[in-house]
Amino acid sequence: MTSILEQLTGAVSDAFAAAGLPRDLGVVIESGRPDLAPYQCNGALAAAKAAKANPRALAETVAAQLTAARPDLAVEIAGPGFLNITPQDALYDQRADALAADPRTGARTADKSLKVMIDFGGPNVAKPMHVGHLRSSVIGDCLQRLMRFRGHRVISDIHLGDWGLQMGQLITELEDEQPDLPYFDAGFTGPYPDEAPVTIDDLARLYPQASAKGKADPVRQERSRKATAELQAGRPGYRALLAHFIAVSVAALKDDFGALGVHFDLWKGESDVNDLIPAMVEDFKARGVAEESDGAWIVRVAREDDNKELAPLILVSSQGSALYATTDLATILERRREQDPELILYVVDLGQSDHFEQVFRAAVKAGLAQEGGLEHVKFGTVNGPDGKRLRTRAGGSFRLSDLIEEARARARQRLTEAGLGAELPPEAFEDVARKVANAAIKFSDLQNVRTTNYIFDLDRFVSFEGKTGPYLLYQAVRIGSLLRKAKGEGLEPGPVRTGHAAEAALVRRLDGFNAALERAEAGRAPHLLCEHAYSLAQAFSAFYTQCPILPEKDEAIRASRLRLAEAALAQLTLALDLIGMEAPERM
Ligand code: ARG
């Protein structure tokens, strides 16, 4: 199923070839001036430059070839030698009928299906999540949806941070609070009580307490460090506690992510690869990948042509412990053994760029991965209205559940203002609020170019107007209710017959879906998907304002418009789903 753009590019490329010019100059794009012509090709200018010829003359030769082969296209030469192309309505009609009949509304699958792992989310056990984790989750989930839809075999992994100093801090804090628990006994060997000694609220309280004490008191911090080392060395009581902490955190995280509609296939963490580390380190040493330096073992990763010197990766610290980079390398090893992906994407903030560069280079050096098989999908920070990194009122990081609740509260308020509260039973109302809140959070994040920073402004995000998630849901709801009404009146959709400019414009938007998906995948760029959904909603809105549907007397025109509306809703629903948004029935 080729798009109009592809068909036109094919025809114009043929015309360039027939005129003795390079085929690849025949690329057709949508014109910036649809009032003059909807499509254009600028290839004659490039051809003229290369051949030192007159661009208008070349354009005329190409235009003559094109009109001879495709008399159905109106071709004009504009300015210095642009080809302006206007197809007949029949081309739009055929394409619209094909799109409407296709459950994927024109979206094809990738030529080659890859096995991809996506490492995203990355919250840390016991530490509250911050908005960086939220961005990672929203972007990562969108990429997994997109890549699956494009036919790739995707495995997502949350990669919990469950192995650092924070675990030792929790252990010491808990020991001070409940010294009688069996876990602190050096001789503890089990049995492990099923019941965790802490709740998620305890964890949320214990960690900041421990962290504050550690900052104020070096002795205390040393105790936490020692507990971390003993945990990592396998002390049974501590391992039992770790298992509890992880279980309690994972249960809470599953609730939060579930409410947000973000899914992970694997709930693994840094601690899962601990057993792989000793042999991996020995192997790095034996093969000369790692070298000794001041009592530590490092991997040199700097390259001559780096414009900024990259520090060596520390594989084993001088105290003998494995660090963040070590667990990341061991995780690559584990993934290679268990899933053997062709590509691993790491959706993590920009601040960790050097870390990933070190890890990737070390992994390639050690033969754990191929060049290009590991990719850091980086993103910018979320800032408060003051332009600084977003914090809660108390100055700390956000808890995901608080953020979701705050978004829902605003969504409820907005929906109540719109009069929906009185019309829906409480449960249904709450479901709409959830969908609106999720759409607000996700779209406002994803619509930005990934690497830029953006300002967090919930009031704007939940607005039903402007470029927002709720606006898009609202458009989908509007089309849905129009179609239900038509059905209720016994009106059937029929073959598309475009006549109005707004209809052709809508078909052109629908036509661009596949290209938008291809580009969004290639650039790991969710904003291109958002852009498509938004421009589609706008094109529908313009069409709906200018082209009456239910009141239309001409039966064929009405049926055609119903089919266009159906196709628009189907494609919008697909696009929203890839963004991670779900339209309610009403709002
Ligand atoms: N837990 C880490 C953090 O909070 C993020 C993990 C990212 N993934 C990875 N494989 N390193 O910063």
Side-chain angles (χ1 to χ4, degrees):
M1 240 239 280
T2 46
S3 67
I4 295 176
L5 259 185
E6 288 163 328
Q7 293 176 41
L8 293 178
T9 293
V12 178
S13 301
D14 289 348
F16 268 86
L21 295 167
R23 267 194 77 81
D24 59 359
L25 293 177
V27 176
V28 173
I29 54 173
E30 278 195 65
S31 96
R33 290 283 308 272
D35 51 321
L36 298 181
Y39 295 103
Q40 71 182 71
C41 170
N42 304 338
L45 296 167
K49 206 166 174 195
K52 296 201 169 45
N54 175 349
R56 265 195 93 92
L58 286 187
E60 264 161 46
T61 324
V62 175
Q65 294 290 351
L66 182 59
T67 11
R70 292 287 301 263
D72 61 317
L73 300 176
V75 185
E76 269 174 23
I77 295 156
F82 302 118
L83 289 171
N84 280 351
I85 303 163
T86 307
Q88 282 174 2
D89 289 342
L91 198 63
Y92 293 125
D93 298 347
Q94 282 163 15
R95 177 66 176 149
D97 282 333
L99 286 167
D102 175 11
R104 293 171 59 97
T105 66
R108 299 190 297 252
T109 51
D111 294 337
K112 184 173 178 280
S113 166
L114 292 176
K115 189 185 236 188
V116 188
M117 283 193 85
I118 310 186
D119 176 319
F120 70 96
N124 299 315
V125 166
K127 286 203 228 175
M129 275 177 78
H130 52 68
V131 277
H133 295 118
L134 177 70
R135 282 212 82 179
S136 171
S137 306
V138 168
I139 297 170
D141 190 54
C142 175
L143 292 177
Q144 85 167 321
R145 286 165 183 264
L146 173 65
M147 293 190 85
R148 266 195 195 115
F149 187 62
R150 300 254 312 132
H152 300 294
R153 287 169 297 159
V154 178
I155 305 154
S156 53
D157 181 10
I158 191 166
H159 199 73
L160 293 172
D162 58 4
W163 202 232
L165 180 61
Q166 82 266 26
M167 306 320 300
Q169 289 173 306
L170 279 181
I171 291 171
T172 47
E173 192 63 24
L174 187 64
E175 183 172 19
D176 286 355
E177 228 178 71
Q178 300 187 53
D180 297 336
L181 287 173
Y183 306 96
F184 304 111
D185 201 325
F188 176 88
T189 50
Y192 296 1
D194 288 338
E195 185 81 20
V198 287
T199 65
I200 188 68
D201 292 325
D202 291 330
L203 289 180
R205 177 176 52 77
L206 290 170
Y207 172 72
Q209 260 170 235
S211 162
K213 286 185 196 163
K215 274 189 197 125
D217 176 5
V219 176
R220 168 61 188 236
Q221 193 72 344
E222 194 43 45
R223 235 182 97 206
S224 296
R225 212 167 270 129
K226 190 161 162 263
T228 310
E230 285 177 350
L231 167 75
Q232 298 192 350
R235 181 168 160 165
Y238 290 0
R239 291 304 284 262
L241 277 177
L242 175 78
H244 282 314
F245 295 159
I246 293 176
V248 166
S249 283
V250 164
L253 287 167
K254 281 193 172 164
D255 282 350
D256 289 348
F257 281 119
L260 199 59
V262 168
H263 162 87
F264 297 94
D265 297 320
L266 302 177
W267 285 76
K268 297 208 146 202
E270 293 171 10
S271 70
D272 281 302
V273 294
N274 188 46
D275 294 345
L276 298 179
I277 290 177
M280 181 187 81
V281 168
E282 284 319 306
D283 176 61
F284 274 45
K285 289 181 187 173
R287 290 191 297 126
V289 175
E291 56 187 272
E292 205 171 354
S293 166
D294 291 333
W297 284 88
I298 63 168
V299 182
R300 291 192 190 279
V301 291
R303 286 182 195 149
E304 294 254 315
D305 57 348
D306 288 342
N307 43 24
K308 157 179 153 242
E309 171 142 0
L310 195 62
L313 173 147
I314 304 177
L315 191 66
V316 183
S317 77
S318 50
Q319 280 113 39
S321 49
L323 303 178
Y324 184 41
T326 324
T327 55
D328 259 326
L329 284 168
T331 304
I332 295 172
L333 178 66
E334 187 200 39
R335 288 174 179 164
R336 221 184 112 163
R337 287 185 187 160
E338 292 190 0
Q339 291 89 13
D340 200 20
E342 289 155 284
L343 176 67
I344 308 179
L345 301 181
Y346 295 83
V347 187
V348 187
D349 70 90
L350 270 165
Q352 298 196 24
S353 297
D354 282 357
H355 164 75
F356 284 108
E357 196 56 42
Q358 291 169 324
V359 169
F360 296 172
R361 289 188 188 184
V364 171
K365 205 168 168 180
L368 290 178
Q370 307 226 311
E371 200 80 56
L374 305 168
E375 198 182 310
H376 181 194
V377 178
K378 38 188 108 168
F379 54 83
T381 58
V382 185
N383 297 328
D386 57 356
K388 296 203 191 105
R389 204 180 267 259
L390 187 71
R391 302 272 178 220
T392 55
R393 268 180 222 104
S397 320
F398 270 105
R399 280 181 76 176
L400 182 56
S401 49
D402 294 343
L403 182 102
I404 296 175
E405 190 36 58
E406 201 166 327
R408 281 195 199 174
R410 308 220 184 185
R412 281 185 210 110
Q413 192 188 341
R414 193 67 198 76
L415 290 166
T416 309
E417 282 162 21
L420 207 68
E423 292 172 34
L424 284 181
E427 224 168 274
F429 179 82
E430 196 47 39
D431 184 58
V432 180
R434 179 180 64 85
K435 287 172 176 158
V436 169
N438 287 353
I441 293 174
K442 293 183 184 183
F443 189 82
S444 58
D445 187 302
L446 295 173
Q447 72 158 124
N448 300 289
V449 173
R450 182 163 45 74
T451 47
T452 58
N453 305 338
Y454 73 93
I455 291 185
F456 196 81
D457 178 356
L458 264 184
D459 279 328
R460 191 163 55 81
F461 298 169
V462 298
S463 165
F464 288 10
E465 287 105 46
K467 199 172 178 183
T468 68
Y471 164 80
L472 289 179
L473 295 188
Y474 183 66
Q475 293 305 323
V477 167
R478 231 169 43 134
I479 310 175
S481 72
L482 160 79
L483 292 173
R484 271 198 305 279
K485 202 156 170 213
K487 205 165 186 186
E489 292 177 20
L491 304 176
E492 292 287 333
V496 174
R497 301 278 172 271
T498 49
H500 196 287
E503 293 173 322
L506 176 59
V507 177
R508 285 198 296 275
R509 294 281 37 85
L510 289 165
D511 187 53
F513 190 36
N514 187 61
L517 297 185
E518 280 177 2
R519 278 189 222 121
E521 180 190 320
R524 326 288 186 223
H527 79 277
L528 296 176
L529 189 55
C530 295
E531 208 54 64
H532 181 79
Y534 182 65
S535 67
L536 176 63
Q538 282 191 310
F540 180 83
S541 203
F543 155 76
Y544 194 39
T545 317
Q546 295 169 52
C547 303
I549 302 182
L550 299 181
E552 174 60 50
K553 294 281 172 296
D554 183 319
E555 209 171 301
I557 294 180
R558 191 181 58 217
S560 158
R561 289 180 180 166
L562 277 173
R563 174 143 297 158
L564 281 176
E566 253 180 16
L569 180 59
Q571 193 176 86
L572 186 57
T573 305
L574 283 174
L576 295 183
D577 181 61
L578 295 179
I579 297 170
M581 291 164 49
E582 200 187 338
E585 205 162 286
R586 320 183 34 183
M587 69 182 264

